[in-house]
Amino acid sequence: MEDQIPAAHAGGIRRGRKFEQVLDGAREVFMTDGYERGSMDEVARCAGVSKATLYSYFPDKRLLFVEVVRIECLRQADAAIELTDTAAAPETVLRAAARRMIDFYLSEFGQAMHRICVAESRRFPELGRHFYDSGPKMARDRIGAYLEAACAAGWLAIDDIALAADQFVELSKADLFARMSCGMSDSIEPARIERVIDGAVATFLARYSAR
């Protein structure tokens, strides 16, 4: 009955000294076994804690999985989509954003989370929504914020910022994400990635450049 939240713990997660240790163990289990096959017993073993300690932090498996997704997506997004330099030219920022998004989409975590969320979308639709909100949506939002700044600076001319951000994300994925997701390749050679980045930036600027 791992998916049921005991009434005493219905309020949520308790943090403590071994919180990060538990998350590390859970990440290892979910990345290897997925949500359905990953057990709380195995999480406790990988984390090096007792089941009592594990349940004191996370009273059910669903809550633990969502927290792993949330923390990892935030960490990956912060490392991958740093669009804080609004004074930089679009080609510089977009090229860096495309490269970092590709790193995320092709990473072990990105691929594993995609598979897990697709497999569990009917049983736990909130898992897919959470992954989308804290990963892909965050990337789109940050790109959109930069595009607004670039338009204000006169570099770009965009009427629909949200659509343009979505378009750039998809241009950056091109054939790479589908190839990995369908098991066509265990890795993508650097030259193929560079080709996609070059094409994404050139196509986007050809459509939206104001100069």
Side-chain angles (χ1 to χ4, degrees):
M1 302 298 289
E2 290 175 335
D3 292 331
Q4 294 184 359
I5 301 177
H9 296 283
I13 299 169
R14 181 182 74 84
R15 293 178 180 268
R17 183 169 56 87
K18 295 187 176 181
F19 183 79
E20 296 296 333
Q21 187 175 330
V22 167
L23 284 180
D24 288 343
R27 185 187 188 282
E28 179 180 345
V29 170
F30 290 136
M31 294 304 99
T32 302
D33 298 334
Y35 177 84
E36 180 63 26
R37 293 194 302 119
S39 70
M40 294 293 267
D41 285 344
E42 185 65 10
V43 170
R45 187 191 68 79
C46 287
V49 300
S50 67
K51 285 187 67 177
T53 297
L54 172 60
Y55 279 106
S56 73
Y57 288 122
F58 294 95
D60 78 281
K61 186 169 73 169
R62 181 191 318 203
L63 193 66
L64 174 57
F65 177 73
V66 170
E67 183 67 5
V68 168
V69 172
R70 187 185 73 83
I71 294 296
E72 188 65 14
C73 280
L74 288 173
R75 185 183 70 80
Q76 295 268 4
D78 285 341
I81 312 295
E82 296 178 351
L83 299 176
T84 56
D85 187 1
T86 56
E91 183 172 359
T92 299
V93 174
L94 293 176
R95 183 172 294 278
R99 187 180 308 282
R100 290 162 181 167
M101 279 191 294
I102 289 170
D103 286 345
F104 175 76
Y105 284 125
L106 300 187
S107 69
E108 178 185 356
F109 173 79
Q111 289 288 308
M113 284 298 98
H114 175 73
R115 290 192 298 268
I116 290 170
C117 289
V118 169
E120 300 294 339
S121 60
R122 292 195 175 185
R123 278 189 66 196
F124 303 119
E126 71 275 16
L127 298 181
R129 287 196 299 269
H130 191 88
F131 174 64
Y132 177 79
D133 287 344
S134 59
K137 184 177 183 296
M138 181 178 293
R140 285 172 166 85
D141 289 347
R142 293 187 179 186
I143 289 171
Y146 172 75
L147 296 180
E148 287 185 353
C151 287
W155 277 316
L156 301 176
I158 303 174
D159 292 328
D160 190 332
I161 293 292
L163 175 61
D166 284 337
Q167 289 171 335
F168 185 71
V169 170
E170 295 306 317
L171 285 170
S172 298
K173 292 166 69 175
D175 182 49
L176 302 178
F177 184 71
R179 184 175 291 274
M180 288 286 286
S181 297
C182 294
M184 299 294 293
S185 177
D186 292 331
S187 62
I188 304 293
E189 57 270 25
R192 185 184 294 270
I193 293 174
E194 291 301 318
R195 174 172 169 265
V196 169
I197 292 173
D198 290 343
V201 174
T203 301
F204 189 84
L205 293 180
R207 171 63 179 86
Y208 291 115
S209 179
R211 297 177 181 177

